[in-house]
Amino acid sequence: MTANEDEALRGLVRQAYEATSAESEFDVEAGLRDVMSRAGHSMIAHATGSGKTAEFVRAVGGTTATVVHTFHSEQPYSGTSLNTLVARTLDGGYSCEPGEGRRVSFGRNHHDVHIPLGVDDRRVARECGELTFHDGLWRVRNTGKVPIRLGFRLVLPDGEPLPLGPGYSTLLVEGSPGRVHALELRVVGRDHAIPVARPNDETVVPATWRLTAGERVVLTMLSQRYLLHEPEPRPLSLRTVAASLAELQPEVSWTTKRVEHIVTAVRTRLARDGVPALTKEEVGEPVGDALKRNLIRELLTSATLTPADLDLLRQDRHRVG
């Protein structure tokens, strides 16, 4: 390789990286080695010789962009400054330190957005959203036509930006039928901790809530549509729960009032222990089924209730008092 070719390739590596992100340091030497390794000897042989610098640069241009893109996506925790934003999708990754007014876009058109998402799915907008830093917080705004899920909230088109707290968040964008595209986000908190791989550590089992036998059978009945994986499940009404339990356990005096007392007692206990969205004050009017849905969600996500509990509802099972 001639001196001109070497300098041209170094410049290409720098330009490709700067186009990807100017927020983190990049080892040009390491990038150069990776480009040459992936480009292969045939490219080098094709490009050597005087007067072939431009041809050489064009030949490895695509490889350079791929290497820089992959290098960036394979190191999603490069930033450790407070409020550094780290993002990752199946199609790439990005990190950006905070700065008033900074904007990071995501969507299908990987040429014009910072974070590629659903690049092969035409149901995903070319730019479907943006992350902006303002008043000390990163916020997500929907710039497309389809709602974006952020946890249990919806980021609606033309709606107000929603703030991201420190730690992990996941944005879900609906694509073609059967496809949902995930954008994993991390905002560096005050601990500045950088996650490390721990393949050999013991698995941490989620803490479950303690339920009495009576509470478990009531809540299993209340949640059975969720435990049966029905599409768009809803909690049973308290009256239906009481009637079903009375049929299941005729020797027990199951009434709507008794069922309501048990459900309220468990919900109040969990709210007192810090579970959010389990009180009328938090949910607001109209309450509807919101409190029951939020209670069921907590019991399922903590694995307090599992499909195995459906055995409690079998007629031939030993009856629980």
Side-chain angles (χ1 to χ4, degrees), residues 213-224 236-256 258-260 262-263 309 312-315 319-321:
E215 291 171 343
R216 185 170 292 278
V217 74
V218 167
L219 292 166
T220 299
M221 185 69 76
L222 181 74
S223 313
Q224 65 174 289
L236 294 184
S237 70
L238 299 182
R239 179 176 296 180
T240 301
V241 171
S244 299
L245 288 176
E247 183 180 349
L248 183 70
Q249 302 175 354
E251 74 281 6
V252 179
S253 179
W254 286 112
T255 64
T256 302
R258 181 178 181 182
V259 168
E260 181 181 10
I262 289 174
V263 172
D309 288 306
L312 293 171
L313 309 185
R314 286 167 40 197
Q315 289 284 355
R319 302 189 187 283
V320 179

Side-chain angles (χ1 to χ4, degrees), residues 171-286:
L171 301 180
L172 298 176
V173 178
E174 295 281 349
S176 299
R179 298 190 68 184
V180 178
H181 303 276
L183 169 55
E184 297 179 350
L185 301 171
R186 176 174 177 262
V187 177
V188 176
R190 295 193 177 279
D191 59 359
H192 293 211
I194 302 176
V196 296
R198 295 176 175 175
N200 298 318
D201 285 9
E202 292 291 329
T203 301
V204 177
V205 179
T208 58
W209 299 101
R210 183 173 298 177
L211 301 175
T212 67
E215 291 171 343
R216 185 170 292 278
V217 74
V218 167
L219 292 166
T220 299
M221 185 69 76
L222 181 74
S223 313
Q224 65 174 289
R225 290 171 175 164
Y226 294 81
L227 295 170
L228 290 168
H229 306 295
E230 292 186 5
E232 300 183 10
R234 295 184 62 184
L236 294 184
S237 70
L238 299 182
R239 179 176 296 180
T240 301
V241 171
S244 299
L245 288 176
E247 183 180 349
L248 183 70
Q249 302 175 354
E251 74 281 6
V252 179
S253 179
W254 286 112
T255 64
T256 302
K257 199 67 178 177
R258 181 178 181 182
V259 168
E260 181 181 10
H261 175 75
I262 289 174
V263 172
T264 301
V266 174
R267 180 170 54 78
T268 302
R269 190 166 73 235
L270 269 58
R272 189 172 57 243
D273 288 340
V275 179
L278 292 183
T279 65
K280 292 180 181 179
E281 292 74 20
E282 293 174 288
V283 170
E285 297 291 347

Side-chain angles (χ1 to χ4, degrees), residues 5-263:
E5 290 166 351
D6 180 75
E7 184 56 35
L9 183 54
R10 289 173 187 273
L12 187 62
V13 170
R14 290 191 185 93
Q15 291 172 20
Y17 180 73
E18 288 168 0
T20 305
S21 170
E23 305 301 336
S24 306
E25 294 181 359
F26 179 67
D27 187 341
V28 175
E29 293 293 335
L32 182 61
R33 289 194 298 272
D34 203 357
V35 168
M36 297 305 298
S37 173
R38 298 191 190 200
H41 295 294
S42 60
M43 276 191 180
I44 297 172
H46 173 75
T48 53
S50 59
K52 299 237 180 195
T53 300
E55 186 177 352
F56 174 75
V57 170
R58 285 194 299 271
V60 299
T63 303
T64 305
T66 299
V67 168
V68 171
H69 177 77
T70 304
F71 177 88
H72 206 60
S73 65
E74 289 176 349
Q75 302 194 40
Y77 305 116
S78 58
T80 58
S81 301
L82 178 65
N83 284 328
T84 292
L85 175 71
V86 182
R88 187 164 187 161
T89 70
L90 285 176
D91 303 302
Y94 192 81
S95 66
C96 182
E97 293 192 355
E100 187 64 26
R102 282 197 170 159
R103 177 182 183 273
V104 176
S105 58
F106 57 92
R108 174 166 51 91
N109 189 347
H110 61 278
H111 298 296
D112 292 336
V113 298
H114 299 90
I115 307 167
L117 180 71
V119 296
D120 62 342
D121 191 338
R122 293 175 59 192
R123 288 289 295 272
V124 177
R126 293 180 178 89
E127 181 191 297
C128 55
E130 65 177 13
L131 299 148
T132 55
F133 191 80
H134 178 62
D135 285 344
L137 289 174
W138 285 101
R139 305 168 195 270
V140 57
R141 188 170 76 90
N142 190 330
T143 60
K145 302 296 183 183
V146 178
I148 298 172
R149 278 183 277 163
L150 172 59
F152 292 96
R153 296 179 292 174
L154 287 178
V155 187
L156 299 174
D158 302 320
E160 291 295 316
L162 293 184
L164 298 174
Y168 292 92
S169 304
T170 301
L171 301 180
L172 298 176
V173 178
E174 295 281 349
S176 299
R179 298 190 68 184
V180 178
H181 303 276
L183 169 55
E184 297 179 350
L185 301 171
R186 176 174 177 262
V187 177
V188 176
R190 295 193 177 279
D191 59 359
H192 293 211
I194 302 176
V196 296
R198 295 176 175 175
N200 298 318
D201 285 9
E202 292 291 329
T203 301
V204 177
V205 179
T208 58
W209 299 101
R210 183 173 298 177
L211 301 175
T212 67
E215 291 171 343
R216 185 170 292 278
V217 74
V218 167
L219 292 166
T220 299
M221 185 69 76
L222 181 74
S223 313
Q224 65 174 289
R225 290 171 175 164
Y226 294 81
L227 295 170
L228 290 168
H229 306 295
E230 292 186 5
E232 300 183 10
R234 295 184 62 184
L236 294 184
S237 70
L238 299 182
R239 179 176 296 180
T240 301
V241 171
S244 299
L245 288 176
E247 183 180 349
L248 183 70
Q249 302 175 354
E251 74 281 6
V252 179
S253 179
W254 286 112
T255 64
T256 302
K257 199 67 178 177
R258 181 178 181 182
V259 168
E260 181 181 10
H261 175 75
I262 289 174
V263 172

